[in-house]
């Protein structure tokens, strides 16, 4: 038992201080940055306290750095923009409503029929362009024969 100290009878042992983690230090620094941005601390005082927060070894060293500051203001989270799923669901609902309105006749039926025809024409045009590009080599394909000899190559003698 040499080198070991024991607590006297009846006295409670004091636990060792907790070491500060990087997350603890960063949380304190964020709180200090918020205090500087709100004008509660001067930039120099905030800088000094942030340096002390990064140098802190134990959690108890972090507490005095923010003890005189009021609690941070809760900022409501900014709603995220709608994702593809919400946009697809919205488009699907709009399509269903348009089709339901067209079933009952009236001008909506003509508009729906016209929209379907235009969409089919556009789809066929795009598919035709894709097929042309795959079969013929696409735009800018200069591998074919040049009947006028405008490519600068004479078929029998090579380059002009």
């Amino acid at each position: 038992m040499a080198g070991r100290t024991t607590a006297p009878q009846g006295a409670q042992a004091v636990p060792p201080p907790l070491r500060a983690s990087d997350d603890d230090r960063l949380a304190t620094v964020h709180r200090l940055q918020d205090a500087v941005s709100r004008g509660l601390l001067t930039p120099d005082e905030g800088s000094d306290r942030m340096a002390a927060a990064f140098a802190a070894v134990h959690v108890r060293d972090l507490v005095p750095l923010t003890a005189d500051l009021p609690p941070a203001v809760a900022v409501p989270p900014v709603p995220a923009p709608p994702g593809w799923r919400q946009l697809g669901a919205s488009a699907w609902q709009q399509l269903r409503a348009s089709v339901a309105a067209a079933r009952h006749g009236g001008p909506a039926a003509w508009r729906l029929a016209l929209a379907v025809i235009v969409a089919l024409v556009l789809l066929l045009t795009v598919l035709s362009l894709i097929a042309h590009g795959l079969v013929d080599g696409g735009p800018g394909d200069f591998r074919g024969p040049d009947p006028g000899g405008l490519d600068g190559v004479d078929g029998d003698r090579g380059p002009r």
Side-chain angles (χ1 to χ4, degrees):
M1 298 228 5
R4 225 182 215 192
T5 59
T6 59
Q9 291 288 344
Q12 294 184 359
V14 177
L18 293 175
R19 297 192 58 91
S21 69
D22 288 340
D23 290 336
D24 295 332
R25 290 184 196 94
L26 286 176
T28 302
V29 168
H30 287 300
R31 186 144 178 236
L32 292 169
Q33 288 172 337
D34 180 60
V36 170
S37 69
R38 290 173 34 199
L40 299 172
L41 297 173
T42 64
D44 290 334
E45 186 179 7
S47 177
D48 292 341
R49 289 188 187 195
M50 287 181 225
F54 280 123
V57 176
H58 297 101
V59 175
R60 69 176 178 207
D61 300 333
L62 296 173
V63 174
L65 299 174
T66 58
D68 60 340
L69 299 175
V73 176
V75 178
V78 177
W84 289 108
R85 179 169 286 176
Q86 287 92 359
L87 291 175
S90 176
W92 177 251
Q93 289 175 349
Q94 180 64 39
L95 179 64
R96 287 180 59 197
S98 297
V99 169
R103 286 184 183 169
H104 300 301
W110 287 104
R111 282 186 278 171
L112 179 64
L114 182 62
V116 168
I117 290 171
V118 169
L120 285 175
V121 168
L122 288 174
L123 180 66
L124 290 174
T125 303
V126 169
L127 290 176
S128 171
L129 290 172
I130 290 172
H132 175 72
L134 292 176
V135 172
D136 295 339
D141 182 21
F142 298 109
R143 291 177 288 165
D146 185 18
L150 298 176
D151 60 355
V153 176
D154 195 0
D156 297 333
R157 292 181 276 160
R160 290 186 210 155

